Amino acid sequence: MRLKLDPDVPWFADFANYLASGVLQKGYTYQQKKKLFSDLKFYFWEHPDLFRIGADQVIRRCVFGQEARKILEECHKGSTGGHFGPVHPAEKVFNSGFYGPMIFKDAHELVKKCDACQHSGSISKRDAMPQTGIQICEVFDVWRIDFMGPFPSSNQCKYILVTVD
């Protein structure tokens, strides 16, 4: 949308500038203005960040550049990540509350450069576990209890007890 493509300027600069100041940069064609204002209804400015409301009505913070790459890398290589190809980490970025229009493209580039992904190959349906039917039972018939920890202390709590009916 920007008139001049500068790698140091965020992709959402025009949205943020207009929402923060109400001033539109000069030099836009009629079509560019029309596109900007049609897209603008999905964005809102909350100083110092720009947020986008997705089609699923989830509000995500707009990111770009080094910050977006770090988030994507953490979703791919981090403790909750995994080398599952490009789609999985890109979806994790969106599920984590961040938005960028180039996340899927950046995820593909990241996987191409990831040594572990290149050596592991891709996961196919053949690797999936067989699906089994769900046993139907009454409420409180079957319980599962899981005790996890120790974790770093949070409000002097180090363990989590999970119970599932």
Side-chain angles (χ1 to χ4, degrees):
M1 197 70 208
R2 294 188 328 260
L3 293 177
K4 297 176 185 174
L5 294 177
D6 183 1
D8 297 330
V9 178
W11 59 268
F12 52 83
D14 294 331
F15 297 118
N17 288 338
Y18 184 79
L19 290 171
S21 66
V23 177
L24 188 61
Q25 184 180 356
K26 293 183 180 181
Y28 282 101
T29 64
Y30 173 77
Q31 288 82 11
Q32 288 172 323
K33 285 181 187 177
K34 189 174 177 180
K35 172 80 170 123
L36 177 81
F37 288 118
S38 70
D39 290 345
L40 205 56
K41 61 186 167 207
F42 301 111
Y43 294 89
F44 68 93
W45 174 257
E46 185 69 37
H47 185 72
D49 295 316
L50 182 72
F51 294 89
R52 184 179 195 279
I53 302 170
D56 54 358
Q57 301 303 310
V58 175
I59 298 172
R60 295 177 176 92
R61 187 168 68 88
C62 297
V63 293
F64 92 105
Q66 191 62 32
E67 181 184 18
R69 282 188 288 280
K70 282 183 180 179
I71 293 168
L72 185 60
E73 209 167 285
E74 184 62 32
C75 289
H76 179 66
K77 296 179 182 175
S79 59
T80 62
H83 299 276
F84 299 121
V87 175
H88 188 327
E91 287 176 349
K92 286 190 78 155
V93 170
F94 292 125
N95 292 338
S96 299
F98 299 102
Y99 174 77
M102 304 297 283
I103 293 294
F104 281 100
K105 180 180 177 264
D106 293 343
H108 278 278
E109 290 176 13
L110 179 69
V111 168
K112 282 181 187 176
K113 295 176 183 175
C114 179
D115 195 45
C117 289
Q118 296 307 310
H119 283 91
S120 67
S122 62
I123 296 174
S124 66
K125 289 191 184 266
R126 192 171 41 111
D127 301 315
M129 291 184 64
Q131 294 182 354
T132 58
I134 298 173
Q135 179 183 359
I136 299 174
C137 54
E138 293 296 317
V139 177
F140 300 115
D141 275 354
V142 180
W143 279 76
R144 305 271 167 118
I145 299 176
D146 200 6
F147 188 73
M148 301 183 323
F151 294 108
S153 181
S154 173
N155 295 333
Q156 299 177 343
C157 299
K158 292 186 177 186
Y159 298 92
I160 298 174
L161 179 65
V162 180
T163 59
V164 179
D165 172 27

